[in-house]
Amino acid sequence: MKHALCTILLSLLALIATPAIAEPASPSSVTIRVRPDPVYIERTGDRQFLSFELELLDATNEPLDLEDVRLRAFDKDGHLLAWEKLDGNGSRPSIEVLGPHHLEPGKPLTVFNPFSELDTAVPITLLRFELRFSGPNGRREKAFAEIRPQAFAQKTSLILPVAGAHLWAYEASGFYSHHRRLDLNDPFNHDIMKLTRNSQRYALDLVVVDDQGEAFHGDPGKQENWVGLGAPIVAPGSGTIVAAVGNKPDDIPYDLEAAKKEPALMAGNYLVIDHGNGEYSMLGHFRTGTLVVKPGDHVERGQLLAKMGHSGMGSGLVHVHYELRNSPDLFDGDGLPATFQGFRRVGSPVPEPGRVGPGWVVVTEGK
């Protein structure tokens, strides 16, 4: 009897310890599309950063509410590394951080991956999502998605595009970045901007600050009060200019009708650099009349391009917008995760090449 009991216990322990990636799932009326394809993963030490969306679509004629999102992460051998969840428990349930989570029949719903940063001892190879829904008359649904993220092999050697300055990363890749939270199903993005991909996914908005960390003095509505007005914008990497606009006025007020006619007004004065190997840099919001390069010019990393300003229908900040992307088309391309050299974080005595995180204050090399 004791021997039989030990055998059963050992069998149960072996079952628990055995890696299990896949599990059977019954067919669901909810389909999941993962954007973008492929999904890239950024690794810094034990931290791993993931920026993607799940686009949900219900094929029935009944609405559903997303109640539970679960993520399991596995290594290459199928060992469970992390298990995260959002659910409806508590007086202010965590599922609310998703924003809209009501799924109307036939209407796609974008759910931004809420587990954008994971801390694991070894690299992640597989992500398995389980989404649970409730509907009228006690209806229950589950939907699953599996993702095998890829590490992006950046080929271009990049520096931050403002030389010799204290920079505040007002926006950088992260769950709360407005660049990352671009809903391709939003009517403005879909119908007016005609966006099918998010080139801004990993974009930076860089603001010059003084030694005390101040970005402006006095009225921020006046460009001349900003520390960074006129700061030199330099080429982040070597390549060929394939698009350049420098004659748009500063301080363009937001105008929906104007944006419909000319969507590029959102970027103001901008340029695109072809670095080769399918990598492009897009920089925007230059001060009007300061662009010193034109399409066809070859530029070297660190070469002067323009000066910082506030052109376009962007935010109220005097800043430079930067993104690494896989296309020269201003509105059709996927963003790429970027790493940089030649900067250090304030408080660190040594340079720290790598990604720039949201809210960081860094010092760049150069004049």
PDB file of all heavy atoms in Angstrom, residues 246-280:
ATOM      1  N   GLY A 246      11.497  71.351 -44.906  1.00  0.00           N
ATOM      2  CA  GLY A 246      11.980  72.320 -43.930  1.00  0.00           C
ATOM      3  C   GLY A 246      11.271  73.652 -43.941  1.00  0.00           C
ATOM      4  O   GLY A 246      11.673  74.569 -43.220  1.00  0.00           O
ATOM      5  N   ASN A 247      10.185  73.788 -44.742  1.00  0.00           N
ATOM      6  CA  ASN A 247       9.553  75.093 -44.899  1.00  0.00           C
ATOM      7  C   ASN A 247       8.187  75.210 -44.230  1.00  0.00           C
ATOM      8  O   ASN A 247       7.455  76.173 -44.471  1.00  0.00           O
ATOM      9  CB  ASN A 247       9.410  75.425 -46.387  1.00  0.00           C
ATOM     10  CG  ASN A 247       8.551  74.411 -47.140  1.00  0.00           C
ATOM     11  OD1 ASN A 247       8.120  73.418 -46.563  1.00  0.00           O
ATOM     12  ND2 ASN A 247       8.330  74.665 -48.415  1.00  0.00           N
ATOM     13  N   LYS A 248       7.806  74.250 -43.404  1.00  0.00           N
ATOM     14  CA  LYS A 248       6.525  74.334 -42.714  1.00  0.00           C
ATOM     15  C   LYS A 248       6.654  75.285 -41.521  1.00  0.00           C
ATOM     16  O   LYS A 248       7.688  75.330 -40.844  1.00  0.00           O
ATOM     17  CB  LYS A 248       6.062  72.966 -42.230  1.00  0.00           C
ATOM     18  CG  LYS A 248       5.856  71.950 -43.356  1.00  0.00           C
ATOM     19  CD  LYS A 248       4.825  72.419 -44.345  1.00  0.00           C
ATOM     20  CE  LYS A 248       4.649  71.409 -45.466  1.00  0.00           C
ATOM     21  NZ  LYS A 248       3.699  71.899 -46.508  1.00  0.00           N
ATOM     22  N   PRO A 249       5.608  76.065 -41.245  1.00  0.00           N
ATOM     23  CA  PRO A 249       5.702  77.049 -40.159  1.00  0.00           C
ATOM     24  C   PRO A 249       5.745  76.396 -38.783  1.00  0.00           C
ATOM     25  O   PRO A 249       5.308  75.259 -38.598  1.00  0.00           O
ATOM     26  CB  PRO A 249       4.427  77.878 -40.335  1.00  0.00           C
ATOM     27  CG  PRO A 249       3.475  76.977 -41.050  1.00  0.00           C
ATOM     28  CD  PRO A 249       4.313  76.122 -41.946  1.00  0.00           C
ATOM     29  N   ASP A 250       6.285  77.140 -37.830  1.00  0.00           N
ATOM     30  CA  ASP A 250       6.272  76.696 -36.444  1.00  0.00           C
ATOM     31  C   ASP A 250       4.881  76.920 -35.852  1.00  0.00           C
ATOM     32  O   ASP A 250       4.090  77.737 -36.340  1.00  0.00           O
ATOM     33  CB  ASP A 250       7.299  77.483 -35.620  1.00  0.00           C
ATOM     34  CG  ASP A 250       8.719  77.258 -36.112  1.00  0.00           C
ATOM     35  OD1 ASP A 250       9.038  76.109 -36.459  1.00  0.00           O
ATOM     36  OD2 ASP A 250       9.493  78.231 -36.172  1.00  0.00           O
ATOM     37  N   ASP A 251       4.605  76.171 -34.789  1.00  0.00           N
ATOM     38  CA  ASP A 251       3.359  76.361 -34.038  1.00  0.00           C
ATOM     39  C   ASP A 251       2.117  76.236 -34.907  1.00  0.00           C
ATOM     40  O   ASP A 251       1.231  77.100 -34.894  1.00  0.00           O
ATOM     41  CB  ASP A 251       3.352  77.729 -33.339  1.00  0.00           C
ATOM     42  CG  ASP A 251       4.300  77.767 -32.150  1.00  0.00           C
ATOM     43  OD1 ASP A 251       4.386  76.750 -31.444  1.00  0.00           O
ATOM     44  OD2 ASP A 251       4.946  78.795 -31.944  1.00  0.00           O
ATOM     45  N   ILE A 252       2.014  75.155 -35.669  1.00  0.00           N
ATOM     46  CA  ILE A 252       0.801  74.927 -36.443  1.00  0.00           C
ATOM     47  C   ILE A 252      -0.300  74.457 -35.494  1.00  0.00           C
ATOM     48  O   ILE A 252      -0.142  73.428 -34.838  1.00  0.00           O
ATOM     49  CB  ILE A 252       1.024  73.860 -37.532  1.00  0.00           C
ATOM     50  CG1 ILE A 252       2.170  74.262 -38.469  1.00  0.00           C
ATOM     51  CG2 ILE A 252      -0.255  73.642 -38.335  1.00  0.00           C
ATOM     52  CD1 ILE A 252       2.520  73.195 -39.491  1.00  0.00           C
ATOM     53  N   PRO A 253      -1.398  75.203 -35.375  1.00  0.00           N
ATOM     54  CA  PRO A 253      -2.475  74.743 -34.478  1.00  0.00           C
ATOM     55  C   PRO A 253      -3.133  73.491 -35.036  1.00  0.00           C
ATOM     56  O   PRO A 253      -3.179  73.293 -36.252  1.00  0.00           O
ATOM     57  CB  PRO A 253      -3.444  75.925 -34.463  1.00  0.00           C
ATOM     58  CG  PRO A 253      -3.204  76.634 -35.762  1.00  0.00           C
ATOM     59  CD  PRO A 253      -1.740  76.457 -36.058  1.00  0.00           C
ATOM     60  N   TYR A 254      -3.638  72.654 -34.130  1.00  0.00           N
ATOM     61  CA  TYR A 254      -4.301  71.444 -34.598  1.00  0.00           C
ATOM     62  C   TYR A 254      -5.547  71.816 -35.380  1.00  0.00           C
ATOM     63  O   TYR A 254      -6.388  72.600 -34.928  1.00  0.00           O
ATOM     64  CB  TYR A 254      -4.669  70.537 -33.428  1.00  0.00           C
ATOM     65  CG  TYR A 254      -5.404  69.295 -33.878  1.00  0.00           C
ATOM     66  CD1 TYR A 254      -4.721  68.265 -34.510  1.00  0.00           C
ATOM     67  CD2 TYR A 254      -6.786  69.182 -33.722  1.00  0.00           C
ATOM     68  CE1 TYR A 254      -5.392  67.133 -34.952  1.00  0.00           C
ATOM     69  CE2 TYR A 254      -7.459  68.057 -34.154  1.00  0.00           C
ATOM     70  CZ  TYR A 254      -6.757  67.030 -34.768  1.00  0.00           C
ATOM     71  OH  TYR A 254      -7.427  65.926 -35.223  1.00  0.00           O
ATOM     72  N   ASP A 255      -5.669  71.237 -36.567  1.00  0.00           N
ATOM     73  CA  ASP A 255      -6.785  71.527 -37.461  1.00  0.00           C
ATOM     74  C   ASP A 255      -7.143  70.234 -38.185  1.00  0.00           C
ATOM     75  O   ASP A 255      -6.382  69.765 -39.028  1.00  0.00           O
ATOM     76  CB  ASP A 255      -6.381  72.616 -38.460  1.00  0.00           C
ATOM     77  CG  ASP A 255      -7.534  73.045 -39.369  1.00  0.00           C
ATOM     78  OD1 ASP A 255      -8.391  72.200 -39.690  1.00  0.00           O
ATOM     79  OD2 ASP A 255      -7.573  74.219 -39.765  1.00  0.00           O
ATOM     80  N   LEU A 256      -8.289  69.652 -37.832  1.00  0.00           N
ATOM     81  CA  LEU A 256      -8.672  68.364 -38.393  1.00  0.00           C
ATOM     82  C   LEU A 256      -8.801  68.428 -39.907  1.00  0.00           C
ATOM     83  O   LEU A 256      -8.348  67.518 -40.609  1.00  0.00           O
ATOM     84  CB  LEU A 256      -9.991  67.893 -37.773  1.00  0.00           C
ATOM     85  CG  LEU A 256     -10.536  66.553 -38.278  1.00  0.00           C
ATOM     86  CD1 LEU A 256      -9.541  65.432 -38.033  1.00  0.00           C
ATOM     87  CD2 LEU A 256     -11.879  66.244 -37.606  1.00  0.00           C
ATOM     88  N   GLU A 257      -9.381  69.479 -40.430  1.00  0.00           N
ATOM     89  CA  GLU A 257      -9.567  69.578 -41.869  1.00  0.00           C
ATOM     90  C   GLU A 257      -8.225  69.706 -42.586  1.00  0.00           C
ATOM     91  O   GLU A 257      -8.023  69.118 -43.649  1.00  0.00           O
ATOM     92  CB  GLU A 257     -10.473  70.764 -42.208  1.00  0.00           C
ATOM     93  CG  GLU A 257     -11.909  70.601 -41.727  1.00  0.00           C
ATOM     94  CD  GLU A 257     -12.545  69.307 -42.229  1.00  0.00           C
ATOM     95  OE1 GLU A 257     -12.398  68.997 -43.434  1.00  0.00           O
ATOM     96  OE2 GLU A 257     -13.166  68.597 -41.414  1.00  0.00           O
ATOM     97  N   ALA A 258      -7.303  70.462 -42.004  1.00  0.00           N
ATOM     98  CA  ALA A 258      -5.970  70.591 -42.599  1.00  0.00           C
ATOM     99  C   ALA A 258      -5.234  69.259 -42.568  1.00  0.00           C
ATOM    100  O   ALA A 258      -4.526  68.904 -43.518  1.00  0.00           O
ATOM    101  CB  ALA A 258      -5.173  71.666 -41.866  1.00  0.00           C
ATOM    102  N   ALA A 259      -5.404  68.502 -41.467  1.00  0.00           N
ATOM    103  CA  ALA A 259      -4.752  67.197 -41.362  1.00  0.00           C
ATOM    104  C   ALA A 259      -5.302  66.230 -42.398  1.00  0.00           C
ATOM    105  O   ALA A 259      -4.559  65.401 -42.937  1.00  0.00           O
ATOM    106  CB  ALA A 259      -4.929  66.627 -39.956  1.00  0.00           C
ATOM    107  N   LYS A 260      -6.603  66.326 -42.677  1.00  0.00           N
ATOM    108  CA  LYS A 260      -7.192  65.471 -43.700  1.00  0.00           C
ATOM    109  C   LYS A 260      -6.561  65.732 -45.060  1.00  0.00           C
ATOM    110  O   LYS A 260      -6.312  64.809 -45.846  1.00  0.00           O
ATOM    111  CB  LYS A 260      -8.700  65.691 -43.773  1.00  0.00           C
ATOM    112  CG  LYS A 260      -9.484  65.157 -42.596  1.00  0.00           C
ATOM    113  CD  LYS A 260     -10.971  65.452 -42.782  1.00  0.00           C
ATOM    114  CE  LYS A 260     -11.798  64.933 -41.613  1.00  0.00           C
ATOM    115  NZ  LYS A 260     -13.243  65.245 -41.781  1.00  0.00           N
ATOM    116  N   LYS A 261      -6.329  67.008 -45.371  1.00  0.00           N
ATOM    117  CA  LYS A 261      -5.773  67.376 -46.668  1.00  0.00           C
ATOM    118  C   LYS A 261      -4.283  67.068 -46.755  1.00  0.00           C
ATOM    119  O   LYS A 261      -3.768  66.694 -47.808  1.00  0.00           O
ATOM    120  CB  LYS A 261      -6.010  68.864 -46.926  1.00  0.00           C
ATOM    121  CG  LYS A 261      -7.477  69.241 -47.071  1.00  0.00           C
ATOM    122  CD  LYS A 261      -7.643  70.744 -47.241  1.00  0.00           C
ATOM    123  CE  LYS A 261      -9.112  71.133 -47.331  1.00  0.00           C
ATOM    124  NZ  LYS A 261      -9.287  72.614 -47.421  1.00  0.00           N
ATOM    125  N   GLU A 262      -3.572  67.242 -45.641  1.00  0.00           N
ATOM    126  CA  GLU A 262      -2.121  67.045 -45.645  1.00  0.00           C
ATOM    127  C   GLU A 262      -1.686  66.389 -44.328  1.00  0.00           C
ATOM    128  O   GLU A 262      -1.269  67.072 -43.399  1.00  0.00           O
ATOM    129  CB  GLU A 262      -1.402  68.382 -45.835  1.00  0.00           C
ATOM    130  CG  GLU A 262       0.093  68.251 -46.064  1.00  0.00           C
ATOM    131  CD  GLU A 262       0.789  69.583 -46.275  1.00  0.00           C
ATOM    132  OE1 GLU A 262       0.107  70.621 -46.320  1.00  0.00           O
ATOM    133  OE2 GLU A 262       2.030  69.573 -46.390  1.00  0.00           O
ATOM    134  N   PRO A 263      -1.787  65.061 -44.234  1.00  0.00           N
ATOM    135  CA  PRO A 263      -1.444  64.384 -42.980  1.00  0.00           C
ATOM    136  C   PRO A 263      -0.020  64.660 -42.498  1.00  0.00           C
ATOM    137  O   PRO A 263       0.241  64.623 -41.290  1.00  0.00           O
ATOM    138  CB  PRO A 263      -1.626  62.904 -43.334  1.00  0.00           C
ATOM    139  CG  PRO A 263      -2.619  62.901 -44.443  1.00  0.00           C
ATOM    140  CD  PRO A 263      -2.315  64.128 -45.239  1.00  0.00           C
ATOM    141  N   ALA A 264       0.908  64.956 -43.408  1.00  0.00           N
ATOM    142  CA  ALA A 264       2.300  65.197 -43.016  1.00  0.00           C
ATOM    143  C   ALA A 264       2.459  66.429 -42.138  1.00  0.00           C
ATOM    144  O   ALA A 264       3.518  66.614 -41.519  1.00  0.00           O
ATOM    145  CB  ALA A 264       3.183  65.322 -44.257  1.00  0.00           C
ATOM    146  N   LEU A 265       1.416  67.271 -42.055  1.00  0.00           N
ATOM    147  CA  LEU A 265       1.489  68.429 -41.159  1.00  0.00           C
ATOM    148  C   LEU A 265       1.650  68.002 -39.708  1.00  0.00           C
ATOM    149  O   LEU A 265       2.121  68.785 -38.879  1.00  0.00           O
ATOM    150  CB  LEU A 265       0.229  69.286 -41.302  1.00  0.00           C
ATOM    151  CG  LEU A 265       0.112  70.143 -42.568  1.00  0.00           C
ATOM    152  CD1 LEU A 265      -1.233  70.857 -42.595  1.00  0.00           C
ATOM    153  CD2 LEU A 265       1.254  71.139 -42.663  1.00  0.00           C
ATOM    154  N   MET A 266       1.268  66.768 -39.393  1.00  0.00           N
ATOM    155  CA  MET A 266       1.449  66.287 -38.027  1.00  0.00           C
ATOM    156  C   MET A 266       2.925  66.269 -37.642  1.00  0.00           C
ATOM    157  O   MET A 266       3.278  66.509 -36.489  1.00  0.00           O
ATOM    158  CB  MET A 266       0.855  64.881 -37.878  1.00  0.00           C
ATOM    159  CG  MET A 266      -0.641  64.792 -38.151  1.00  0.00           C
ATOM    160  SD  MET A 266      -1.651  65.755 -37.014  1.00  0.00           S
ATOM    161  CE  MET A 266      -1.349  64.906 -35.470  1.00  0.00           C
ATOM    162  N   ALA A 267       3.788  65.994 -38.615  1.00  0.00           N
ATOM    163  CA  ALA A 267       5.233  65.919 -38.350  1.00  0.00           C
ATOM    164  C   ALA A 267       5.927  67.261 -38.513  1.00  0.00           C
ATOM    165  O   ALA A 267       7.033  67.458 -38.010  1.00  0.00           O
ATOM    166  CB  ALA A 267       5.877  64.898 -39.288  1.00  0.00           C
ATOM    167  N   GLY A 268       5.295  68.206 -39.219  1.00  0.00           N
ATOM    168  CA  GLY A 268       5.942  69.488 -39.463  1.00  0.00           C
ATOM    169  C   GLY A 268       7.146  69.338 -40.370  1.00  0.00           C
ATOM    170  O   GLY A 268       7.087  68.661 -41.404  1.00  0.00           O
ATOM    171  N   ASN A 269       8.248  69.964 -39.992  1.00  0.00           N
ATOM    172  CA  ASN A 269       9.495  69.820 -40.739  1.00  0.00           C
ATOM    173  C   ASN A 269      10.190  68.543 -40.296  1.00  0.00           C
ATOM    174  O   ASN A 269      10.411  68.335 -39.098  1.00  0.00           O
ATOM    175  CB  ASN A 269      10.402  71.031 -40.509  1.00  0.00           C
ATOM    176  CG  ASN A 269       9.752  72.315 -40.995  1.00  0.00           C
ATOM    177  OD1 ASN A 269       9.273  72.383 -42.122  1.00  0.00           O
ATOM    178  ND2 ASN A 269       9.710  73.330 -40.141  1.00  0.00           N
ATOM    179  N   TYR A 270      10.531  67.706 -41.254  1.00  0.00           N
ATOM    180  CA  TYR A 270      11.053  66.391 -40.915  1.00  0.00           C
ATOM    181  C   TYR A 270      12.010  65.907 -41.999  1.00  0.00           C
ATOM    182  O   TYR A 270      12.102  66.501 -43.087  1.00  0.00           O
ATOM    183  CB  TYR A 270       9.913  65.386 -40.761  1.00  0.00           C
ATOM    184  CG  TYR A 270       9.275  64.972 -42.069  1.00  0.00           C
ATOM    185  CD1 TYR A 270       9.702  63.828 -42.744  1.00  0.00           C
ATOM    186  CD2 TYR A 270       8.269  65.729 -42.662  1.00  0.00           C
ATOM    187  CE1 TYR A 270       9.144  63.449 -43.962  1.00  0.00           C
ATOM    188  CE2 TYR A 270       7.700  65.363 -43.861  1.00  0.00           C
ATOM    189  CZ  TYR A 270       8.135  64.227 -44.508  1.00  0.00           C
ATOM    190  OH  TYR A 270       7.585  63.852 -45.697  1.00  0.00           O
ATOM    191  N   LEU A 271      12.697  64.802 -41.710  1.00  0.00           N
ATOM    192  CA  LEU A 271      13.514  64.133 -42.718  1.00  0.00           C
ATOM    193  C   LEU A 271      13.576  62.651 -42.421  1.00  0.00           C
ATOM    194  O   LEU A 271      13.272  62.200 -41.310  1.00  0.00           O
ATOM    195  CB  LEU A 271      14.918  64.740 -42.810  1.00  0.00           C
ATOM    196  CG  LEU A 271      15.844  64.718 -41.588  1.00  0.00           C
ATOM    197  CD1 LEU A 271      16.475  63.358 -41.359  1.00  0.00           C
ATOM    198  CD2 LEU A 271      16.951  65.758 -41.762  1.00  0.00           C
ATOM    199  N   VAL A 272      13.960  61.887 -43.442  1.00  0.00           N
ATOM    200  CA  VAL A 272      14.141  60.442 -43.331  1.00  0.00           C
ATOM    201  C   VAL A 272      15.512  60.091 -43.877  1.00  0.00           C
ATOM    202  O   VAL A 272      15.898  60.553 -44.961  1.00  0.00           O
ATOM    203  CB  VAL A 272      13.057  59.669 -44.104  1.00  0.00           C
ATOM    204  CG1 VAL A 272      13.304  58.158 -44.002  1.00  0.00           C
ATOM    205  CG2 VAL A 272      11.663  60.020 -43.576  1.00  0.00           C
ATOM    206  N   ILE A 273      16.263  59.296 -43.139  1.00  0.00           N
ATOM    207  CA  ILE A 273      17.596  58.837 -43.539  1.00  0.00           C
ATOM    208  C   ILE A 273      17.541  57.345 -43.825  1.00  0.00           C
ATOM    209  O   ILE A 273      17.049  56.571 -42.992  1.00  0.00           O
ATOM    210  CB  ILE A 273      18.653  59.098 -42.448  1.00  0.00           C
ATOM    211  CG1 ILE A 273      18.685  60.577 -42.051  1.00  0.00           C
ATOM    212  CG2 ILE A 273      20.042  58.647 -42.916  1.00  0.00           C
ATOM    213  CD1 ILE A 273      19.580  60.858 -40.854  1.00  0.00           C
ATOM    214  N   ASP A 274      18.032  56.940 -44.972  1.00  0.00           N
ATOM    215  CA  ASP A 274      18.172  55.522 -45.309  1.00  0.00           C
ATOM    216  C   ASP A 274      19.549  55.067 -44.866  1.00  0.00           C
ATOM    217  O   ASP A 274      20.562  55.495 -45.420  1.00  0.00           O
ATOM    218  CB  ASP A 274      17.993  55.336 -46.821  1.00  0.00           C
ATOM    219  CG  ASP A 274      18.091  53.870 -47.256  1.00  0.00           C
ATOM    220  OD1 ASP A 274      18.384  53.008 -46.402  1.00  0.00           O
ATOM    221  OD2 ASP A 274      17.900  53.597 -48.450  1.00  0.00           O
ATOM    222  N   HIS A 275      19.593  54.188 -43.864  1.00  0.00           N
ATOM    223  CA  HIS A 275      20.866  53.681 -43.351  1.00  0.00           C
ATOM    224  C   HIS A 275      21.320  52.420 -44.084  1.00  0.00           C
ATOM    225  O   HIS A 275      22.424  51.921 -43.826  1.00  0.00           O
ATOM    226  CB  HIS A 275      20.744  53.355 -41.857  1.00  0.00           C
ATOM    227  CG  HIS A 275      20.377  54.521 -41.005  1.00  0.00           C
ATOM    228  ND1 HIS A 275      21.171  55.643 -40.876  1.00  0.00           N
ATOM    229  CD2 HIS A 275      19.277  54.740 -40.224  1.00  0.00           C
ATOM    230  CE1 HIS A 275      20.590  56.497 -40.047  1.00  0.00           C
ATOM    231  NE2 HIS A 275      19.446  55.974 -39.643  1.00  0.00           N
ATOM    232  N   GLY A 276      20.483  51.904 -44.983  1.00  0.00           N
ATOM    233  CA  GLY A 276      20.772  50.613 -45.597  1.00  0.00           C
ATOM    234  C   GLY A 276      20.280  49.479 -44.713  1.00  0.00           C
ATOM    235  O   GLY A 276      19.871  49.668 -43.563  1.00  0.00           O
ATOM    236  N   ASN A 277      20.284  48.279 -45.246  1.00  0.00           N
ATOM    237  CA  ASN A 277      19.879  47.079 -44.507  1.00  0.00           C
ATOM    238  C   ASN A 277      18.440  47.160 -43.987  1.00  0.00           C
ATOM    239  O   ASN A 277      18.095  46.545 -42.977  1.00  0.00           O
ATOM    240  CB  ASN A 277      20.832  46.817 -43.335  1.00  0.00           C
ATOM    241  CG  ASN A 277      22.257  46.567 -43.796  1.00  0.00           C
ATOM    242  OD1 ASN A 277      22.506  45.690 -44.606  1.00  0.00           O
ATOM    243  ND2 ASN A 277      23.188  47.371 -43.292  1.00  0.00           N
ATOM    244  N   GLY A 278      17.604  47.945 -44.691  1.00  0.00           N
ATOM    245  CA  GLY A 278      16.208  48.021 -44.288  1.00  0.00           C
ATOM    246  C   GLY A 278      15.946  48.831 -43.041  1.00  0.00           C
ATOM    247  O   GLY A 278      14.885  48.698 -42.437  1.00  0.00           O
ATOM    248  N   GLU A 279      16.875  49.705 -42.646  1.00  0.00           N
ATOM    249  CA  GLU A 279      16.712  50.541 -41.461  1.00  0.00           C
ATOM    250  C   GLU A 279      16.703  52.022 -41.862  1.00  0.00           C
ATOM    251  O   GLU A 279      17.572  52.479 -42.612  1.00  0.00           O
ATOM    252  CB  GLU A 279      17.817  50.268 -40.439  1.00  0.00           C
ATOM    253  CG  GLU A 279      17.783  48.848 -39.899  1.00  0.00           C
ATOM    254  CD  GLU A 279      18.907  48.532 -38.934  1.00  0.00           C
ATOM    255  OE1 GLU A 279      19.750  49.423 -38.663  1.00  0.00           O
ATOM    256  OE2 GLU A 279      18.957  47.390 -38.459  1.00  0.00           O
ATOM    257  N   TYR A 280      15.723  52.748 -41.335  1.00  0.00           N
ATOM    258  CA  TYR A 280      15.555  54.162 -41.649  1.00  0.00           C
ATOM    259  C   TYR A 280      15.355  54.935 -40.352  1.00  0.00           C
ATOM    260  O   TYR A 280      14.708  54.453 -39.419  1.00  0.00           O
ATOM    261  CB  TYR A 280      14.335  54.384 -42.549  1.00  0.00           C
ATOM    262  CG  TYR A 280      14.382  53.659 -43.872  1.00  0.00           C
ATOM    263  CD1 TYR A 280      14.020  52.312 -43.952  1.00  0.00           C
ATOM    264  CD2 TYR A 280      14.781  54.310 -45.033  1.00  0.00           C
ATOM    265  CE1 TYR A 280      14.046  51.632 -45.159  1.00  0.00           C
ATOM    266  CE2 TYR A 280      14.813  53.638 -46.250  1.00  0.00           C
ATOM    267  CZ  TYR A 280      14.451  52.305 -46.302  1.00  0.00           C
ATOM    268  OH  TYR A 280      14.483  51.627 -47.500  1.00  0.00           O
TER     269      TYR A 280
END
